[in-house]
Amino acid sequence: MKPKHNKAKRDQILDRGVSTIEEAKDWFARQHIEEIECVVPDLAGVARGKIMPVRKFLGTPSMNLPLAVFYQTITGDFPEFEGAVNAVQSDTDIFLTPDFATLAAVPWAQDPTAQVIHDAFHPDGRPVEESPRQVLRRVLALYDEKGWSPIVAPEIEFYLVDRNTDPDYPLKPPIGRSGRPETGRQGYSISAVNEFDALFEDMYEYSERQGLEIDTLIHESGVAQMEINLRHGHPLELADQVFMMKRTIREVALEHEIYATFMAKPMASEPGSAMHIHQSIVDKKGRNLFSDEKGEETELFHGFIAGQQTFLPAIMAILAPYVNSYRRIAKDSGAPVNTQWGYDNRTCGLRVPPSGPDNRRLENRIPSSDANPYLAIAASLAAGYLGMVQGLKPSEPVATDASVLGVQLPRSLSDSLKLFEACQPLVDILGPTFCAAYDRVKQAEYETFMRTISPWEREFLLLNV
């Protein structure tokens, strides 16, 4: 499916990013920008920040927010800070500096508006370790010290659903252009995608105006479940694109009076949604380190696979960050529940897709679509890095149905957090300050969930126990 733009409309499409504030000033003037959204991704991948007039932004491009912005739970609450930072530190100001490479339009805004992603720093200039962008940069710095450069390509699954204003009611598929909701499984159906042709036309246009590079759009196996694949590239740039793409898809859906959701398991009878991450490593000359001169697999490739196998259980708290995420990781759910690897074997948690030596890569199929893209990419690359530097060896590849080997991953957020806390090599790579903050936030979210009584409990326990 391709967007349909006439020449006049294409002339208005904006590229993403400039190099300096002087270039940004010219960019604002050319596009008649009036306001700018200064955003920073928090631990959940939610856009936090401030909206200000362009004049104010150009006068003081750095803005202040309390450090607690990186300790806020998905419910808007704050955890006990003990063991991470004290209450005074949590409310002190940090400084957010724009990364002008991320400057882009906000196509859905009523007035000419721009957006730019910020990096977080302490007053003394130290990066804020709790910031997801900094966590990813920290991992990438380790690769750079080795002369290695990771390349990633995320695939993001999501559902289109009817508007739902009462959380006590289950979600339903939306009405398409035919006037009927989708029924049955329509995996890879073009006509099922075309049911929402107007929505996707707007999505393509908004994506182009932000410089987001969509590779493919497909209908997944669930009812009104879609998948967007992004073109491969630098991990930080791709994490930014996923962050912006999720926001774009939600906004476009709202314009068409439906919802787009990235919940891992939004409907009980439908498959879950994943964020698969394709990963490869190149040297400074751009040569794929997973293949040797003869095109054969290298020890670094095997070490990368082994690292993912070894540390996947410990990073599950990041790859599956909410209680709902574990409803997707269930036996016979269609989602991988193991740490096995195989060649073009989608029953494995780790898949080696068919490719030539130059494109040899590993697909991590475990992350759910609700994961923070910065943290999921950082954690997956950290696991692979540990495998390479420690010279770990993978198990034998699985050519049969790996799901019969049973569930090899933690089945709850509580169990995942215990493994996360106890994995010192992972804590050292991701940063102890970040890990303490992340653990506190996730523990608080879990406790909030445990205070909620589900319909299942009322249905089966109310009068029977």
Side-chain angles (χ1 to χ4, degrees):
M1 182 176 179
K2 273 182 86 174
K4 306 178 184 74
H5 298 304
N6 59 37
K7 184 179 185 302
K9 204 167 189 180
R10 282 191 178 277
D11 289 342
Q12 298 174 7
I13 291 175
L14 313 180
D15 290 330
R16 180 164 54 96
V18 297
S19 299
T20 65
I21 192 169
E22 289 77 18
E23 291 180 7
K25 184 177 181 180
D26 293 339
W27 190 91
F28 293 144
R30 288 196 309 271
Q31 310 303 336
H32 308 290
I33 298 296
E34 299 174 2
E35 289 185 331
I36 183 160
E37 296 179 351
C38 304
V39 301
V40 60
D42 71 359
L43 292 187
V46 173
R48 307 286 180 186
K50 298 180 179 180
I51 302 173
M52 64 180 70
V54 166
R55 283 189 308 241
K56 178 175 175 59
F57 175 82
L58 292 173
T60 56
S62 180
M63 66 172 177
N64 295 32
L65 285 177
L67 178 62
V69 74
F70 293 116
Y71 287 84
Q72 194 166 10
T73 69
I74 198 66
T75 62
D77 300 316
F78 295 92
E80 292 292 334
F81 293 111
E82 186 178 350
V85 294
N86 63 48
V88 174
Q89 289 174 319
S90 71
D91 213 28
T92 58
D93 271 354
I94 55 174
F95 296 89
L96 299 172
T97 302
D99 180 349
F100 286 110
T102 68
L103 180 65
V106 180
W108 52 85
Q110 292 185 352
D111 298 319
T113 304
Q115 59 186 319
V116 64
I117 300 174
H118 285 57
D119 285 309
F121 298 90
H122 292 287
D124 61 5
R126 290 178 297 115
V128 173
E129 290 188 33
E130 296 94 332
S131 165
R133 280 188 116 223
Q134 170 57 22
V135 174
L136 180 52
R137 278 201 168 101
R138 181 183 176 109
V139 173
L140 295 178
L142 294 175
Y143 275 88
D144 189 60
E145 289 173 4
K146 296 285 188 181
W148 302 337
S149 297
I151 296 174
V152 301
E155 301 173 348
I156 320 157
E157 297 173 350
F158 61 96
Y159 275 89
L160 298 176
V161 298
D162 200 19
R163 292 175 71 95
N164 180 295
T165 57
D166 189 335
D168 284 335
Y169 284 88
L171 298 176
K172 299 185 298 183
I175 304 296
R177 65 178 183 175
S178 67
R180 302 177 62 187
E182 185 178 313
T183 56
R185 296 291 168 85
Q186 301 292 332
Y188 304 104
S189 168
I190 298 297
S191 61
V193 173
N194 289 340
E195 279 287 293
F196 305 97
D197 187 63
L199 183 153
F200 289 121
E201 286 294 325
D202 288 344
M203 183 194 73
Y204 269 105
E205 180 187 338
Y206 287 2
S207 298
E208 286 193 14
R209 293 188 65 195
Q210 296 171 90
L212 305 178
E213 297 186 79
I214 298 175
D215 191 24
T216 57
L217 164 67
I218 65 171
H219 192 294
E220 262 293 344
S221 57
V223 174
Q225 185 187 31
M226 310 295 170
E227 177 182 287
I228 293 287
N229 298 340
L230 298 178
R231 291 177 61 84
H232 63 272
H234 187 274
L236 182 60
E237 182 179 346
L238 265 297
D240 286 338
Q241 289 202 41
V242 173
F243 170 69
M244 296 170 74
M245 178 60 72
K246 290 174 77 170
R247 190 175 180 218
T248 299
I249 293 170
R250 279 192 291 259
E251 290 289 342
V252 171
L254 286 173
E255 287 189 357
H256 289 264
E257 299 185 347
I258 61 176
Y259 292 164
T261 180
F262 296 89
M263 281 179 65
K265 186 75 169 177
M267 291 183 275
S269 60
E270 297 298 326
S273 291
M275 182 176 64
H276 302 151
I277 305 172
H278 292 251
Q279 309 156 99
S280 60
I281 314 296
V282 300
D283 63 16
K284 295 302 181 183
K285 295 181 179 180
R287 292 177 297 200
N288 192 331
L289 295 175
F290 289 168
S291 301
D292 62 19
E293 294 178 356
K294 296 180 180 179
E296 302 296 326
E297 297 174 359
T298 62
E299 290 301 311
L300 286 178
F301 181 51
H302 294 155
F304 190 87
I305 294 172
Q308 304 251 309
Q309 287 191 294
T310 302
F311 294 101
L312 267 176
I315 61 175
M316 275 295 288
I318 290 176
L319 305 185
Y322 303 102
V323 287
N324 177 262
S325 311
Y326 296 85
R327 301 191 189 281
R328 169 180 166 262
I329 305 296
K331 193 174 181 180
D332 301 323
S333 67
V337 294
N338 55 72
T339 61
Q340 302 297 324
W341 74 284
Y343 297 100
D344 199 17
N345 186 345
R346 286 184 168 86
T347 67
C348 294
L350 302 166
R351 169 178 171 257
V352 179
S355 70
D358 290 343
N359 296 319
R360 182 170 278 123
R361 62 194 185 276
L362 183 69
E363 177 190 13
N364 183 351
R365 297 177 53 78
I366 298 299
S368 49
S369 60
D370 55 5
N372 181 316
Y374 301 96
L375 299 181
I377 292 172
S380 191
L381 290 176
Y385 174 86
L386 286 169
M388 290 191 292
V389 298
Q390 293 180 7
L392 300 181
K393 305 296 181 183
S395 64
E396 290 298 316
V398 175
T400 55
D401 185 356
S403 64
V404 302
L405 301 175
V407 178
Q408 300 170 335
L409 296 167
R411 292 297 310 279
S412 71
L413 180 60
S414 179
D415 289 343
S416 293
L417 287 170
K418 292 175 184 176
L419 296 175
F420 178 71
E421 295 168 359
C423 187
Q424 194 59 46
L426 189 67
V427 171
D428 292 340
I429 285 186
L430 300 181
T433 301
F434 158 74
C435 290
Y438 191 82
D439 180 68
R440 295 298 181 279
V441 167
K442 292 301 161 185
Q443 294 283 6
E445 290 174 351
Y446 181 74
E447 291 303 324
T448 301
F449 171 79
M450 291 302 292
R451 292 197 292 269
T452 302
I453 308 303
S454 70
W456 185 94
E457 292 164 276
R458 288 190 291 270
E459 181 176 356
F460 294 104
L461 303 182
L462 180 66
L463 300 178
N464 293 330
V465 295

